[in-house]
Amino acid sequence: MKTQEHAKTSKTMSGASLLLECLQKHGVELVFGYPGGAVLPLYDALYDAEIPNILTRHEQGAVHAAEGYAKATGKPGVVIVTSGPGATNVVTGIADAMGDSVPLVVFTGQVATPGIGKDAFQEADILGITLPITKHNYQVRNVDELERTIDEAFHIATTGRKGPVVIDLPKDISIIEGKYEASTKPVNLVSYQPTTVPSQMQISRLMEQLKQAKKPIVLAGAGVTAAQASEELKTFVERYKLPTVNTLLGLGTLPADHPYSLGMGGMHGSFASNMALAECDLLINIGSRFDDRLATCPSQFATGAVIAHIDIDPAEIGKIISTDIPIVGDAKNALNKMLDYEEFEVDSQAWQDLCLERKKNYPFTFDRENKEEIKPQRVIEKVGEITKGQAFVSTDVGQHQMWVAQYYPFNFPNQLITSGGLGTMGYGIPAGIGAQFAYRDRPVVVFVGDGGFQMTNQEFAILNENQLNVKFVLINNGSLGMVRQWQERFHNERRSSSVFSGQPDFIKLAEAYGIDAVRISDPATLDSELEAAFENKGPMLIEVIVSNSEQVMPMVPAGIPNDQMIGVE
């Protein structure tokens, strides 16, 4: 009987067709890619396939678009590029995905197997190059191993701590015929068994510690989003009345207007958040890795607190901050176990009042009385009002990224699509495009600086041909704003290579791609012009000329404890 069933499902086909069958089996809706010699057989098979290839204009655009798609949906983004420079052009995006735990499956073309290691045309050792920046990588040398390899790659990318997996595909493997088994057997790798269900004993320790706490807080990171645990987080926070700090990548896991939300913590976080981190007596970290932008001075971080750290990656626990209650597991499973624990009262009313009083008295602020120049904070604040806090928001990297984190009202998980760990300029435009491919009926806004815009704006070419409705808000301050800010603060105002002496006409550049564009430079008409621009149907570039001296405040200088902020008013 098993033999007959096997005969029904097993089919012989080329490696390229086999690969596409595997993508369909794993529910892949689309791929982002750029063809070249080593992947010509695969692209020939794609010509007749049901899965569309989104032809970006650069391989970097393809991998960032796949990241945006993956961050918006939680599903793995899929990338196909050719060998040599095609493969090396996605290295930055792979490293970015590794830093932010983004599930990707990246297929890189490779020269035919007889040419590997012989410096053939467009050969690069992509396995060696990507070994430190992937969860795992493969090179397929036998077409009969291709299906199993792809099944394993999707399993590894989407389980445990999510991340990128590379499959290096020699050209001849795409041509040679092999058997497609259509296997639906669960992948079971002896050497890869992530712990998803936390220890009940450790959960009990945490809950008993919470009973005794007078000043408890929750720190919620991207692990809450990855585990789809935002509702459980909200229930837990409300049950025990816990002031909650978010990391940059955790924004949206608790709505911005939630009474217990203190906003983002860390280098450009809120006063209330950073003071809570400094003064708490119990810190419950759920899905954050205590990176240096949050724990700016590890030796003086939450020194009076019992530290509980819930993370699916055991390597992160104790790596930066000494942990008293280590809990390895999926955030959703951990929160459900905490919610199943017999309910009790936490005696922390005075602490709650203090945290919420600080939130009220020390909001993010800027000079609203200045009528001579447009303040970038107001641009973001107004876009939040126009979109009612319901847009998917992609950012590039720099000052505008931090202002978005401070002033856009994030209300749902997966909403903010940004480069956190690697800080990749050029990320914003293609990532926002990837998010729009994921949700064509939802508003997507990309905030980008004039520096990052000039790195990946060629992806504007795919907007109209794919009927995408993305609004790009270009915050133009004529400089690399964050670099300039650090030079002004810490390098005697020596603005070395951080101010642009000349720029292209961004309006004409957008129009060259057939994209409507508007430039806003008058603070008196900012609000009305933004409203009009967002009424435009279809993609649009909105260039806003802003103050060229504005700094992101408040700020915790690198190496300084969280409670020693500058720029607090």
PDB file of all heavy atoms in Angstrom, residues 7 18 67 73 76 82 260 269 278 356 387-388 408 414 449 557:
ATOM      1  N   ALA A   7       4.069   5.874  -5.330  1.00  0.00           N
ATOM      2  CA  ALA A   7       4.071   5.988  -6.792  1.00  0.00           C
ATOM      3  C   ALA A   7       3.161   7.107  -7.260  1.00  0.00           C
ATOM      4  O   ALA A   7       3.419   7.756  -8.260  1.00  0.00           O
ATOM      5  CB  ALA A   7       3.656   4.658  -7.406  1.00  0.00           C
ATOM      6  N   LEU A  18      11.427  21.003  -9.701  1.00  0.00           N
ATOM      7  CA  LEU A  18      11.307  20.420  -8.371  1.00  0.00           C
ATOM      8  C   LEU A  18      11.346  21.517  -7.307  1.00  0.00           C
ATOM      9  O   LEU A  18      10.545  21.525  -6.365  1.00  0.00           O
ATOM     10  CB  LEU A  18      12.446  19.427  -8.181  1.00  0.00           C
ATOM     11  CG  LEU A  18      12.369  18.403  -7.056  1.00  0.00           C
ATOM     12  CD1 LEU A  18      13.288  17.219  -7.350  1.00  0.00           C
ATOM     13  CD2 LEU A  18      12.741  19.000  -5.710  1.00  0.00           C
ATOM     14  N   GLU A  67      12.525  40.875   3.239  1.00  0.00           N
ATOM     15  CA  GLU A  67      12.492  41.142   4.681  1.00  0.00           C
ATOM     16  C   GLU A  67      11.215  41.891   5.058  1.00  0.00           C
ATOM     17  O   GLU A  67      10.575  41.583   6.074  1.00  0.00           O
ATOM     18  CB  GLU A  67      13.696  41.977   5.101  1.00  0.00           C
ATOM     19  CG  GLU A  67      15.012  41.257   5.162  1.00  0.00           C
ATOM     20  CD  GLU A  67      16.081  42.149   5.770  1.00  0.00           C
ATOM     21  OE1 GLU A  67      16.713  42.926   5.030  1.00  0.00           O
ATOM     22  OE2 GLU A  67      16.257  42.088   6.988  1.00  0.00           O
ATOM     23  N   THR A  73       4.247  39.928   7.582  1.00  0.00           N
ATOM     24  CA  THR A  73       3.374  38.752   7.613  1.00  0.00           C
ATOM     25  C   THR A  73       3.772  37.704   8.646  1.00  0.00           C
ATOM     26  O   THR A  73       2.933  36.903   9.079  1.00  0.00           O
ATOM     27  CB  THR A  73       3.371  38.050   6.239  1.00  0.00           C
ATOM     28  OG1 THR A  73       4.708  37.590   5.957  1.00  0.00           O
ATOM     29  CG2 THR A  73       2.910  38.991   5.139  1.00  0.00           C
ATOM     30  N   PRO A  76       7.986  33.365   5.817  1.00  0.00           N
ATOM     31  CA  PRO A  76       9.339  33.526   5.280  1.00  0.00           C
ATOM     32  C   PRO A  76       9.333  34.260   3.942  1.00  0.00           C
ATOM     33  O   PRO A  76       8.492  34.005   3.077  1.00  0.00           O
ATOM     34  CB  PRO A  76       9.830  32.083   5.115  1.00  0.00           C
ATOM     35  CG  PRO A  76       8.583  31.270   4.972  1.00  0.00           C
ATOM     36  CD  PRO A  76       7.542  31.954   5.820  1.00  0.00           C
ATOM     37  N   THR A  82      21.394  35.260  -8.801  1.00  0.00           N
ATOM     38  CA  THR A  82      22.386  34.474  -9.518  1.00  0.00           C
ATOM     39  C   THR A  82      23.674  34.365  -8.724  1.00  0.00           C
ATOM     40  O   THR A  82      23.782  34.848  -7.587  1.00  0.00           O
ATOM     41  CB  THR A  82      22.625  35.065 -10.913  1.00  0.00           C
ATOM     42  OG1 THR A  82      23.339  34.113 -11.719  1.00  0.00           O
ATOM     43  CG2 THR A  82      23.406  36.371 -10.854  1.00  0.00           C
ATOM     44  N   TYR A 260      -0.766  51.309  30.195  1.00  0.00           N
ATOM     45  CA  TYR A 260       0.467  50.833  30.819  1.00  0.00           C
ATOM     46  C   TYR A 260       1.678  50.902  29.888  1.00  0.00           C
ATOM     47  O   TYR A 260       2.777  50.490  30.277  1.00  0.00           O
ATOM     48  CB  TYR A 260       0.285  49.408  31.345  1.00  0.00           C
ATOM     49  CG  TYR A 260      -0.678  49.354  32.515  1.00  0.00           C
ATOM     50  CD1 TYR A 260      -1.905  48.713  32.400  1.00  0.00           C
ATOM     51  CD2 TYR A 260      -0.367  49.965  33.722  1.00  0.00           C
ATOM     52  CE1 TYR A 260      -2.806  48.683  33.461  1.00  0.00           C
ATOM     53  CE2 TYR A 260      -1.252  49.945  34.791  1.00  0.00           C
ATOM     54  CZ  TYR A 260      -2.464  49.299  34.655  1.00  0.00           C
ATOM     55  OH  TYR A 260      -3.346  49.282  35.712  1.00  0.00           O
ATOM     56  N   GLY A 269      14.923  56.578  23.868  1.00  0.00           N
ATOM     57  CA  GLY A 269      13.642  56.221  24.456  1.00  0.00           C
ATOM     58  C   GLY A 269      13.070  57.322  25.325  1.00  0.00           C
ATOM     59  O   GLY A 269      13.674  58.379  25.529  1.00  0.00           O
ATOM     60  N   ALA A 278      15.731  51.835  35.023  1.00  0.00           N
ATOM     61  CA  ALA A 278      16.775  52.102  36.015  1.00  0.00           C
ATOM     62  C   ALA A 278      16.326  51.788  37.436  1.00  0.00           C
ATOM     63  O   ALA A 278      17.146  51.376  38.276  1.00  0.00           O
ATOM     64  CB  ALA A 278      17.221  53.561  35.918  1.00  0.00           C
ATOM     65  N   LEU A 356       3.345  56.321  35.410  1.00  0.00           N
ATOM     66  CA  LEU A 356       2.368  56.972  34.539  1.00  0.00           C
ATOM     67  C   LEU A 356       2.422  58.491  34.689  1.00  0.00           C
ATOM     68  O   LEU A 356       2.150  59.232  33.736  1.00  0.00           O
ATOM     69  CB  LEU A 356       0.971  56.436  34.839  1.00  0.00           C
ATOM     70  CG  LEU A 356       0.815  54.919  34.596  1.00  0.00           C
ATOM     71  CD1 LEU A 356      -0.612  54.469  34.883  1.00  0.00           C
ATOM     72  CD2 LEU A 356       1.216  54.534  33.177  1.00  0.00           C
ATOM     73  N   THR A 387      -3.155  58.803   8.987  1.00  0.00           N
ATOM     74  CA  THR A 387      -3.349  57.361   8.813  1.00  0.00           C
ATOM     75  C   THR A 387      -4.024  56.710  10.019  1.00  0.00           C
ATOM     76  O   THR A 387      -4.232  55.491  10.020  1.00  0.00           O
ATOM     77  CB  THR A 387      -1.991  56.671   8.570  1.00  0.00           C
ATOM     78  OG1 THR A 387      -1.122  56.918   9.689  1.00  0.00           O
ATOM     79  CG2 THR A 387      -1.332  57.190   7.296  1.00  0.00           C
ATOM     80  N   LYS A 388      -4.345  57.526  11.035  1.00  0.00           N
ATOM     81  CA  LYS A 388      -5.012  57.043  12.245  1.00  0.00           C
ATOM     82  C   LYS A 388      -4.226  55.915  12.923  1.00  0.00           C
ATOM     83  O   LYS A 388      -4.801  55.036  13.582  1.00  0.00           O
ATOM     84  CB  LYS A 388      -6.442  56.591  11.939  1.00  0.00           C
ATOM     85  CG  LYS A 388      -7.336  57.703  11.409  1.00  0.00           C
ATOM     86  CD  LYS A 388      -8.735  57.206  11.119  1.00  0.00           C
ATOM     87  CE  LYS A 388      -9.675  58.332  10.732  1.00  0.00           C
ATOM     88  NZ  LYS A 388      -9.275  59.054   9.505  1.00  0.00           N
ATOM     89  N   TYR A 408       5.248  58.199  15.879  1.00  0.00           N
ATOM     90  CA  TYR A 408       4.159  57.502  15.194  1.00  0.00           C
ATOM     91  C   TYR A 408       3.444  56.599  16.192  1.00  0.00           C
ATOM     92  O   TYR A 408       4.090  55.882  16.952  1.00  0.00           O
ATOM     93  CB  TYR A 408       4.657  56.675  14.005  1.00  0.00           C
ATOM     94  CG  TYR A 408       3.510  56.214  13.136  1.00  0.00           C
ATOM     95  CD1 TYR A 408       3.057  56.994  12.080  1.00  0.00           C
ATOM     96  CD2 TYR A 408       2.825  55.032  13.409  1.00  0.00           C
ATOM     97  CE1 TYR A 408       1.969  56.595  11.308  1.00  0.00           C
ATOM     98  CE2 TYR A 408       1.744  54.628  12.652  1.00  0.00           C
ATOM     99  CZ  TYR A 408       1.317  55.420  11.602  1.00  0.00           C
ATOM    100  OH  TYR A 408       0.223  55.035  10.850  1.00  0.00           O
ATOM    101  N   ASN A 414       3.870  43.727  14.137  1.00  0.00           N
ATOM    102  CA  ASN A 414       4.324  43.670  12.739  1.00  0.00           C
ATOM    103  C   ASN A 414       4.180  45.001  12.021  1.00  0.00           C
ATOM    104  O   ASN A 414       4.440  45.089  10.823  1.00  0.00           O
ATOM    105  CB  ASN A 414       3.571  42.594  11.921  1.00  0.00           C
ATOM    106  CG  ASN A 414       3.703  41.205  12.494  1.00  0.00           C
ATOM    107  OD1 ASN A 414       2.854  40.766  13.270  1.00  0.00           O
ATOM    108  ND2 ASN A 414       4.751  40.513  12.131  1.00  0.00           N
ATOM    109  N   GLY A 449      15.279  59.064   4.733  1.00  0.00           N
ATOM    110  CA  GLY A 449      16.094  60.269   4.688  1.00  0.00           C
ATOM    111  C   GLY A 449      16.684  60.473   3.311  1.00  0.00           C
ATOM    112  O   GLY A 449      16.630  59.585   2.449  1.00  0.00           O
ATOM    113  N   PRO A 557      23.748  58.952  25.872  1.00  0.00           N
ATOM    114  CA  PRO A 557      25.013  58.721  25.163  1.00  0.00           C
ATOM    115  C   PRO A 557      25.521  57.303  25.378  1.00  0.00           C
ATOM    116  O   PRO A 557      25.269  56.680  26.419  1.00  0.00           O
ATOM    117  CB  PRO A 557      25.964  59.756  25.785  1.00  0.00           C
ATOM    118  CG  PRO A 557      25.057  60.831  26.317  1.00  0.00           C
ATOM    119  CD  PRO A 557      23.830  60.106  26.786  1.00  0.00           C
TER     120      PRO A 557
END
